[in-house]
Amino acid sequence: MLPGLLGALTASLCYGSATVLQALGVRRMTSSPPGSPLLARAWAGRLYAVGLGLDGVGFLASLVALRSLPLFVVQSAIASSVAVTAVLAVAVLHARLSRAEVAALAVVGLGLVALAVSAGVESPAPLAAPWTWLVLAGALPVALLALVGWRLPRTSRWACPLLAAASGLGFGGVGVAARVLAVPDPWWHLLADPLTWAIAAYGLLAMACYGLALDRGSATTTAAVTFGVETVVPAAVGLLWLGDTVRSGFAGWAALGFVATLGGCLALARRAEVPGDAVSAPRPPSG
């Protein structure tokens, strides 16, 4: 269980740090003197590349966590990366947190502790071949939802929420597929596993939809809807169909921790919009 908890914590730290580094990279790149060579602008924004590297590390850490922890714990921990962003925004970008945001940080921390002590220790149950194809096929309705949101007028009040919901479903799909993915021997047989392709399909949809949602609405709305969907939906799937469990006698703690963590993350959602002159940094991929 300890490797899983460390993996979830590492993923949260990496994703939250990456958001701040990406914002700094964009800020420095856009502040380059007009007419600067492309290489000079790229070097000025090198922290953005470092942030992308941390995204990759965070994704791998989330895969480690998903091998032994229920989806409701891992997805909640990943969503709490916004709390890491909030703390680093204060330390690095000199942002100021309101009293409500400080309280939300405390609630997130307590919620994660409650989730950690209530999580059942288990290995993911492998899925039969027909079900793995069903997980992959689930990317189709997500793509259709994204298409609806994309085709709506940019001024429509529904465009941003629909695209953000599609993004949340995409990130959640990555978590579900990674949770049940079994590494074969030899490992390169993964290339023929529908779950591998599901992770790629859901991940691409999630990142594309998140960017489109930011383009059509506020970072706060985008982050809040995405956090909510990507946390709640996989948690329900894991508990109802994938055999995720709660330690005996800790169901109340698990429910309280889940609600506290999700509520705190939603309260901190505006921290997805890093203060300053930089535009909002792209959200890191979830696992």
Side-chain angles (χ1 to χ4, degrees), residues 104-273:
L105 283 172
V107 168
V108 169
L110 293 174
L112 289 175
V113 171
L115 287 172
V117 300
S118 64
V121 182
E122 57 200 85
S123 298
L127 290 181
W131 293 104
T132 60
W133 286 102
L134 183 62
V135 173
L136 176 58
L140 181 58
V142 178
L144 291 175
L145 179 63
L147 181 62
V148 171
W150 178 63
R151 293 295 299 271
L152 287 174
R154 295 174 62 88
T155 55
S156 171
R157 58 180 292 191
W158 294 106
C160 175
L162 285 178
L163 287 166
S167 178
L169 290 172
F171 285 125
V174 170
V176 170
R179 170 72 174 147
V180 295
L181 178 66
V183 180
D185 186 19
W187 64 267
W188 56 81
H189 286 176
L190 281 172
L191 297 176
D193 194 322
L195 293 174
T196 303
W197 293 100
I199 291 173
Y202 283 118
L204 289 173
L205 280 170
M207 292 300 294
C209 290
Y210 196 83
L212 289 171
L214 284 174
D215 186 51
R216 287 161 171 76
S218 72
T220 300
T221 300
T222 300
V225 174
T226 302
F227 288 152
V229 173
E230 77 161 298
T231 305
V232 173
V233 174
V237 171
L239 290 170
L240 294 175
W241 292 295
L242 301 183
D244 286 352
T245 60
V246 178
R247 287 176 59 189
S248 178
F250 282 82
W253 284 102
L256 181 63
F258 184 80
V259 171
T261 303
L262 181 58
C265 291
L266 294 179
L268 290 166
R270 78 180 190 89
R271 284 296 159 187
E273 190 166 10

Side-chain angles (χ1 to χ4, degrees), residues 13-65:
L13 292 173
C14 287
Y15 288 147
S17 302
T19 300
V20 175
L21 289 174
Q22 288 165 339
L24 282 171
V26 170
R27 180 182 300 178
R28 293 178 181 179
M29 188 162 51
T30 55
S31 63
S32 299
S36 298
L38 180 60
L39 285 178
R41 289 171 57 84
W43 178 251
R46 59 190 179 276
L47 287 179
Y48 189 90
V50 177
L52 290 178
L54 280 178
D55 284 343
V57 174
F59 177 70
L60 294 176
S62 70
L63 294 183
V64 172

Side-chain angles (χ1 to χ4, degrees), residues 1-2 68-69 80 82 103 123 126 141 146 168 184 209 213 221 239 251 266:
M1 181 174 180
L2 182 59
S68 60
L69 291 178
S80 72
V82 71
S123 298
C209 290
T221 300
L239 290 170
L266 294 179

